[in-house]
Amino acid sequence: LSVNDFKTKYAGSYFGVIWAFIQPVVTVVVYWFVFQIAFKTDVINGYPFVLWLILGLVPWFFYSEAIIGGSNSLHEYNYLVKKVVFPISVLPIIKVISALFIHLFFISFTIILFIAYGYRPDLYIIQLIYYSFCILILVLGLSYLNASIVVFFKDMSQLINILLQIGMWMTPIVWNKELIPKNLEWLFKLNPMYYIV
């Protein structure tokens, strides 16, 4: 079902599933241009800015895609909910796994990019399994919660988009966490993506 969801999402468009990869790549290029070229951000914590940036954006792309898809899954598959005897608890999982396909591609792309910059994988790469599991459980839980609310309160979808936009800037993706004053650090740590990123 997730593979079918992934394919049908881009069915009918000329480039098909390529759009799933173009949008995140364009986002990375825009942020890289703005922050590295325009604002002259060069090296953060000893790493080139583009590597530092992509490590934060890749989990965020998965998080936002999975939350939006999982939250709207009951509306999107309403024909299954209304007309067929079907376990509706599976629907958010379908959307999250569909978003996971793109996430796994971008994890591979990130590893290749690091190798191209001369950073070889070491034992710390095993942490990808742990953090990927953390984000998967987080988005599944939030998708179930949001999907059950969206059914009764359709404006929740718009609210989720706004909260994701705010959450992106509250997460140390395009800025260094060292910039946070120590007395406000607890506020940023309330964001679960702060931990994962």
Side-chain angles (χ1 to χ4, degrees):
L1 286 171
S2 294
V3 170
N4 186 51
D5 178 81
F6 181 72
K7 289 178 181 176
T8 56
K9 186 175 182 179
Y10 303 99
S13 64
Y14 185 71
F15 290 111
V17 296
I18 294 173
W19 285 116
F21 307 102
I22 291 175
Q23 192 271 335
V25 168
V26 168
T27 303
V28 169
V29 170
V30 167
Y31 283 137
W32 168 79
F33 181 80
V34 168
F35 288 97
Q36 186 166 345
I37 305 299
F39 291 145
K40 307 285 190 246
T41 306
D42 192 29
V43 176
I44 297 180
N45 295 341
Y47 292 94
F49 180 75
V50 69
L51 297 180
W52 187 85
L53 175 69
I54 201 164
L55 282 176
L57 284 177
V58 166
W60 185 264
F61 289 151
F62 172 64
Y63 177 74
S64 60
E65 177 76 20
I67 291 288
I68 291 169
S71 299
N72 296 319
S73 60
L74 296 181
H75 278 297
E76 188 173 331
Y77 288 105
N78 63 4
Y79 59 91
L80 288 175
V81 174
K82 293 178 181 176
K83 298 178 182 173
V84 180
V85 177
F86 186 83
I88 61 172
S89 61
V90 174
L91 296 177
I93 296 172
I94 291 169
K95 299 303 276 184
V96 169
I97 293 174
S98 177
L100 188 62
F101 297 144
I102 301 167
H103 181 60
L104 294 175
F105 168 80
F106 277 105
I107 286 175
S108 304
F109 175 76
T110 303
I111 292 169
I112 291 168
L113 192 61
F114 265 77
I115 291 170
Y117 269 83
Y119 297 95
R120 299 284 175 238
D122 56 14
L123 282 177
Y124 286 108
I125 202 164
I126 295 172
Q127 292 180 11
L128 278 173
I129 298 167
Y130 168 71
Y131 286 107
S132 295
F133 179 75
C134 288
I135 196 169
L136 184 66
I137 296 302
L138 175 65
V139 296
L140 270 174
L142 290 174
S143 293
Y144 276 117
L145 176 68
N146 293 338
S148 62
I149 295 171
V150 167
V151 171
F152 300 105
F153 182 60
K154 290 186 181 181
D155 293 341
M156 183 70 174
S157 295
Q158 302 306 320
L159 185 61
I160 290 168
N161 286 329
I162 291 169
L163 291 174
L164 284 171
Q165 192 173 18
I166 294 168
M168 159 109 181
W169 294 101
M170 294 289 290
T171 307
I173 297 171
V174 295
W175 52 271
N176 193 342
K177 66 179 183 150
E178 311 295 323
L179 299 173
I180 303 172
K182 291 294 180 193
N183 60 335
L184 293 178
E185 199 171 280
W186 66 272
L187 182 64
F188 288 88
K189 286 184 176 179
L190 293 175
N191 174 3
M193 282 302 290
Y194 179 94
Y195 172 73
I196 292 168
V197 168

